[in-house]
Amino acid sequence: MAENKTQPTAASVDAFLEATPSPKMKEDAFKLKKIMEEVTGERAVMWGESIVGFGKYKYHYDSGRKGEFLIAGFAPRKAALSLYLMGCMETKFEDLFAQLGKHKTGASCVYINKLSDVNETVLRELIKQSYDFMKEKYPD
């Protein structure tokens, strides 16, 4: 059985974020790192070459596939900040998304052009509820 390509690494999160080409995206990425550390209580860890992750959970599918993946994370991409909130894959947070501000969603991803487009209080609550859901469903 193949392992996930995206694994935690020892690479420097700050060095990765410093290399973000857009000054505004870099500023937002550092702010999002701080928000996620505060909300999850986890320290930032690089997952693969381009995802900043917070916490991890172990999964085991009926097919026999199993592994570990981050609970929450983000990646500063060229077009937007991609937030990975794994709890959003398993449950719905329509009320929070309705209050969040300008964003797009897809499965477990939330895409934000810039942090000033969203309500930070709602974003923090979305991260918290998604994180708490995963910690409860997948206790180590």
Side-chain angles (χ1 to χ4, degrees):
M1 182 117 351
E3 263 190 32
N4 278 340
K5 290 181 186 176
T6 307
Q7 297 284 335
T9 73
S12 167
V13 171
D14 287 350
F16 167 71
L17 296 179
E18 277 295 335
T20 304
S22 160
K24 181 60 181 152
M25 181 72 76
K26 182 189 309 187
E27 178 185 329
D28 282 353
F30 274 104
K31 185 172 183 183
L32 189 54
K33 173 188 170 221
K34 183 178 181 201
I35 289 170
M36 286 194 157
E37 285 178 334
E38 289 172 0
V39 172
T40 66
E42 305 274 2
R43 76 175 180 84
V45 172
M46 287 302 301
W47 282 71
E49 295 180 2
S50 63
I51 298 175
V52 180
F54 304 83
K56 62 184 175 181
Y57 71 101
K58 295 178 183 177
Y59 61 84
H60 190 141
Y61 296 132
D62 291 339
S63 66
R65 181 180 168 97
K66 58 184 176 179
E68 288 186 335
F69 201 62
L70 55 96
I71 293 176
F74 73 93
R77 305 284 188 207
K78 189 173 186 177
L81 285 167
S82 298
L83 281 65
Y84 304 99
L85 303 174
M86 303 318 290
C88 293
M89 182 175 62
E90 300 203 26
T91 190
K92 302 297 179 204
F93 296 101
E94 286 92 356
D95 291 345
L96 289 171
F97 283 126
Q99 302 170 55
L100 183 58
K102 186 178 174 185
H103 72 283
K104 293 179 184 176
T105 59
S108 60
C109 293
V110 180
Y111 304 100
I112 298 171
N113 291 333
K114 53 189 183 287
L115 283 180
S116 62
D117 285 345
V118 298
N119 180 314
E120 184 179 322
T121 302
V122 175
L123 177 61
R124 285 174 175 271
E125 188 61 27
L126 182 62
I127 295 165
K128 179 183 181 343
Q129 285 190 28
S130 175
Y131 179 84
D132 290 349
F133 174 86
M134 293 301 287
K135 288 299 275 186
E136 185 175 322
K137 183 168 181 173
Y138 298 96
D140 287 328

